[in-house]
């Protein structure tokens, strides 16, 4: 997983690659009482406007001043690690109880008995978090089983948005999980200073039907980038400057070298869609909602990707849709351009610098596919959340929130270091520049577990990679100036289930058109079928939600 997090926290843990791979968007969930496809206009049944009255007041705290401040929401950076750590919650707030917690894990599940990492974190909390950990790849199935029987739901449950089960927003969340509004809304959150430090955008996504239910796992506003192997291009005297799709194609043709088993690019569809400003779901044109598949941006992006494939600059394995090895091909130099999540940047350095000290990749500055000023659609402040089980025991809710406050301790605190690195001398030893060097025991005991329950705002401090923090933060600060919010930004939408299949034909076309199996005429036909098969009703559904704001 990629992290976008500071070095002390992420030498062992790699957390965010999986999120980019998940393709998180508006969830397709069920709403009772809506007509079937083609059966009339679906009427919204939920309150979607997010009132500021239910959101926690944002009270920023800075334990360690960043060397590179964030701009327009971009990630702040640290070019050196703090020499002294601060304890943000000086007295463990727990009363010694056991709290059962259910979380996913994309890695090896650590042993619970005798786990010194668990003991250290639980000691800071003052409670014992008893984990029920499930492989993240099958977590949705586990959730469906657990949520089907509310009495079996653990005290604290982590749920990624892409794993929201059917009817989660309309029926499950309000009947299974506690309304946290009375505990956290407005100034009430000041009881938990580290939670109050989490940005408002992250909390917005925790609101369902006008009430605050979740604790967010904060994310970056920009999640993806288009990378190039600057080390290999420099060998050929090429310093790529790309300001349009036309220039990108020209560069790809220049660097393409099949005879040397080196192709210009992987399938760059996600980056191309970003460059052409394709909206994540909807955009407003002349006061009317237009779906992404209806936009000229979507059509132009598909056509350009077709040109990339047609030019023969895409690696044959990518043409054959062998996407799982795309990063390996890029990192081995068999391809020179790659679309990936922003967390993949430092992961590539981690995985390659030891054997190839000259390895380097950079991200292109944002550019507009057809020239002019780019548009980047701001990602939601969070797409993973933890929820507290409903209970008449208000002390349990308060104890969980107090525990969450410890887990959300920011960069520069003792809590942050222990949660992410474990115990000094047990799980790590200080290395050059103070960067923790994990011990063999860390690989056994220390896995990302607590972070899924609560986590602080994102920072970047991978100081072990010379120049990376400066490069990353500079790139993101530049990109952040182009951010725009899509319609219904930060609002949890429960989309009627009868429309769930509408997207599949376009996912197929996104693969088929570039590879010559279908044409743009097929796109036109698919759009017309989308409109007649429920797309117009879906538009009316979203328009009703938009009108509530």
């Amino acid at each position: 997983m990629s992290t976008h997090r500071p070095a002390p926290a992420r030498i062992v843990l790699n957390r965010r690659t999986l999120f980019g791979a998940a393709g998180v968007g508006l969830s397709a969930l069920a709403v009772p009482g809506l007509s079937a496809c083609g059966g009339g206009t679906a009427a919204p049944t939920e309150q979607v406007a997010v009132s500021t009255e239910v959101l926690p007041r944002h009270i920023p705290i800075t334990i360690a001043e960043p060397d590179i401040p964030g701009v327009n929401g971009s990630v702040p950076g640290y070019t050196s690690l703090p020499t002294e750590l601060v304890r943000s919650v000086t007295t463990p707030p727990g009363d010694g109880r056991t709290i059962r917690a259910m979380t996913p894990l994309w890695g090896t599940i650590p042993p619970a008995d005798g786990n010194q990492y668990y003991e250290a974190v639980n000691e800071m909390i003052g409670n014992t978090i008893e984990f029920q950990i499930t492989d993240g790849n099958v977590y949705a199935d586990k959730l469906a089983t657990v949520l089907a029987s509310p009495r079996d739901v653990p005290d604290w449950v982590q749920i990624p948005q892409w794993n929201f089960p059917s009817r989660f927003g309309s029926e499950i969340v309000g009947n299974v999980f506690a309304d946290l509004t009375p505990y956290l809304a407005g100034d009430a959150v000041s009881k938990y200073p580290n939670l109050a430090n989490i940005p408002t955008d992250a909390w917005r996504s925790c609101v369902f039907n006008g009430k605050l239910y979740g604790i967010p796992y904060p994310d970056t506003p920009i999640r993806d980038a288009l990378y190039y192997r600057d080390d290999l291009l420099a060998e050929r005297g090429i310093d790529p400057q790309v300001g349009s799709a036309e220039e990108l194609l020209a560069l790809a043709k220049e660097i393409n070298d099949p005879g040397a088993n080196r192709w210009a690019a992987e399938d760059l569809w996600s980056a191309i869609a970003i460059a052409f400003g394709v909206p994540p779901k909807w955009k407003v044109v002349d006061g009317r909602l237009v779906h992404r598949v209806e936009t000229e941006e979507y059509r132009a992006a598909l056509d350009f990707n077709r040109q990339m494939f047609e030019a023969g600059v895409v690696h044959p394995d990518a043409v054959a849709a062998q996407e799982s090895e795309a990063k390996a091909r890029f990192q081995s130099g068999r391809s020179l351009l790659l679309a990936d999540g922003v967390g993949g940047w430092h992961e590539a350095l981690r995985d390659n610098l030891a054997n190839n000290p000259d390895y380097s990749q950079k991200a292109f500055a944002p550019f507009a596919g057809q020239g002019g000023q780019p548009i980047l659609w701001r990602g939601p402040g969070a797409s993973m959340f933890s929820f507290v089980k409903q209970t008449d025991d208000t002390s349990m809710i308060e104890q969980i929130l107090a525990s969450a406050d410890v887990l959300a301790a920011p960069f520069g605190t003792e809590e942050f270091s222990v949660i992410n690195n474990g115990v000094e001398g047990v799980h790590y030893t200080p290395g050059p520049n103070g960067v923790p060097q994990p011990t063999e025991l860390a690989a056994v005991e220390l896995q990302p577990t607590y972070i899924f329950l609560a986590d602080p705002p994102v920072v970047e401090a991978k100081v072990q990679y010379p120049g990376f923090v400066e490069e990353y933060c500079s790139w993101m600060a530049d990109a952040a100036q182009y951010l725009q919010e899509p319609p219904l930004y930060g609002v949890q939408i429960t989309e009627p289930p009868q429309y769930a299949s509408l997207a599949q034909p376009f996912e197929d076309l996104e693969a088929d058109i570039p590879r010559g199996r279908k044409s743009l005429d097929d796109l036109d036909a698919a759009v017309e079928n989308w409109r007649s098969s429920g797309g117009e009703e879906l538009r009316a559904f979203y328009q009703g939600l938009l009108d509530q704001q």
Side-chain angles (χ1 to χ4, degrees):
M1 295 193 240
S2 15
T3 70
H4 324 328
R5 300 292 178 135
R10 306 299 184 249
I11 301 305
V12 176
L13 310 184
N14 304 298
R15 313 183 317 172
R16 293 185 186 271
T17 295
L18 68 102
F19 307 145
V24 179
L26 292 175
S27 52
L29 308 177
V31 175
L34 295 175
S35 59
C37 280
T41 299
T45 61
E46 299 175 89
Q47 177 184 343
V48 299
V50 178
S51 169
T52 56
E53 294 181 358
V54 306
L55 294 172
R57 178 187 170 199
H58 185 212
I59 309 173
I61 56 176
T62 302
I63 301 298
E65 288 288 345
D67 300 297
I68 307 173
V71 179
N72 297 322
S74 71
V75 175
Y78 295 83
T79 57
S80 62
L81 303 182
T83 55
E84 294 186 10
L85 302 176
V86 176
R87 187 71 173 259
S88 67
V89 182
T90 55
T91 302
D95 59 8
R97 72 180 66 195
T98 295
I99 299 171
R100 297 179 304 139
M102 178 177 168
T103 59
L105 179 63
W106 289 264
T108 303
I109 297 175
D113 292 341
N115 189 314
Q116 296 178 74
Y117 169 64
Y118 284 175
E119 292 172 359
V121 178
N122 288 337
E123 182 179 352
M124 292 191 307
I125 293 172
N127 290 316
T128 297
I129 307 296
E130 185 179 279
F131 283 101
Q132 301 174 14
I133 301 174
T134 299
D135 180 352
N137 296 308
V138 296
Y139 195 60
D141 297 332
K142 177 68 172 180
L143 280 169
T145 300
V146 170
L147 294 177
S149 178
R151 68 180 181 180
D152 296 331
V153 173
D155 305 308
W156 202 354
V157 182
Q158 210 286 340
I159 307 181
Q161 184 171 347
W162 60 90
N163 284 157
F164 283 170
S166 179
R167 302 187 186 278
F168 182 79
S170 59
E171 297 179 8
I172 294 175
V173 69
N175 291 316
V176 176
F177 298 114
D179 175 11
L180 302 180
T181 311
Y183 302 89
L184 298 176
D187 288 333
V189 75
S190 62
K191 183 178 180 181
Y192 311 104
N194 290 329
L195 295 181
N197 182 49
I198 295 175
T200 300
D201 271 4
W203 288 109
R204 284 170 58 91
S205 299
C206 299
V207 176
F208 296 79
N209 303 318
K211 297 179 180 180
L212 184 71
Y213 284 98
I215 300 170
Y217 179 95
D219 208 343
T220 57
I222 302 170
R223 295 179 171 180
D224 300 285
L226 175 57
Y227 298 99
Y228 62 96
R229 284 292 302 274
D230 64 296
D231 54 340
L232 299 180
L233 295 184
E235 292 177 0
R236 296 173 56 178
I238 299 174
D239 180 14
Q241 302 295 322
V242 171
S244 67
E246 181 180 358
E247 293 179 4
L248 177 63
L249 181 56
L251 172 66
K253 291 177 178 178
E254 179 184 3
I255 64 179
N256 201 46
D257 192 1
N261 192 28
R262 178 172 289 173
W263 274 260
E266 295 298 320
D267 183 354
L268 304 181
W269 167 243
S270 62
I272 290 169
I274 292 171
F276 278 86
V278 178
K281 189 124 186 177
W282 301 94
K283 67 180 294 188
V284 177
V285 180
D286 297 328
R288 176 177 180 268
L289 279 176
V290 177
H291 196 273
R292 72 190 303 264
V293 302
E294 301 176 287
T295 63
E296 286 301 317
E297 293 91 339
Y298 184 74
R299 183 184 182 89
L302 274 177
D303 186 47
F304 177 73
N305 204 28
R306 177 193 62 78
Q307 294 176 49
M308 289 284 290
F309 277 74
E310 190 176 78
V313 299
V314 178
H315 195 286
D317 290 347
V319 175
Q322 297 177 19
E323 292 302 312
S324 63
E325 296 300 315
K327 288 187 182 183
R329 293 191 292 267
F330 176 75
Q331 293 175 18
S332 67
R334 288 174 284 160
S335 58
L336 299 173
L337 304 174
L338 174 74
D340 194 17
V342 294
W345 195 344
H346 75 79
E347 288 187 341
L349 300 178
R350 176 201 66 197
D351 295 339
N352 291 278
L353 284 177
N355 295 322
N356 180 8
D358 295 325
Y359 181 92
S360 182
Q361 67 181 68
K362 291 186 178 180
F364 284 105
F367 62 91
Q370 296 172 314
Q373 182 166 299
I375 293 176
L376 300 181
W377 297 103
R378 184 184 292 273
S383 56
M384 299 183 74
F385 319 92
S386 66
F387 299 87
V388 180
K389 182 181 179 180
Q390 275 189 14
T391 175
D392 293 331
D393 181 5
T394 58
S395 70
M396 174 60 86
I397 298 174
E398 292 171 340
Q399 283 291 296
I400 289 176
L401 292 177
S403 301
D405 190 54
V406 174
L407 299 181
F411 176 70
T413 63
E414 292 181 16
E415 297 98 321
F416 186 95
S417 179
V418 173
I419 290 165
N420 293 284
N421 299 309
V423 179
E424 182 176 354
V426 177
H427 301 105
Y428 74 92
T429 57
N433 299 317
V435 176
Q437 305 298 307
T439 64
E440 292 183 2
L441 184 61
V444 176
E445 293 190 344
L446 203 158
Q447 288 287 343
T449 47
Y450 294 95
I451 62 171
F452 291 124
L453 298 173
D455 213 37
V458 183
V459 301
E460 185 53 75
K462 303 293 187 301
V463 300
Q464 65 267 43
Y465 311 127
F468 168 71
V469 172
E470 295 88 341
E471 182 83 22
Y472 174 92
C473 292
S474 174
W475 173 84
M476 182 167 283
D478 174 62
Q481 67 182 304
Y482 304 115
L483 285 168
Q484 295 186 22
E485 294 181 1
L488 294 164
Y489 172 76
V491 177
Q492 289 290 355
I493 305 296
T494 298
E495 189 172 289
Q498 61 264 37
Y499 305 125
S501 63
L502 289 178
Q504 188 59 53
F506 299 97
E507 294 176 11
D508 295 338
L509 287 174
E510 288 163 13
D512 291 340
I513 289 177
R515 292 167 175 82
R517 298 191 291 260
K518 294 289 180 68
S519 71
L520 291 176
D521 290 339
D522 294 295
L523 171 63
D524 295 334
V527 169
E528 287 304 315
N529 186 64
W530 175 87
R531 290 169 178 156
S532 62
S533 300
E536 292 297 350
E537 288 87 351
L538 185 63
R539 190 194 322 276
F541 168 77
Y542 274 94
Q543 185 64 56
L545 300 179
L546 190 63
D547 290 344
Q548 292 184 31
Q549 290 195 310

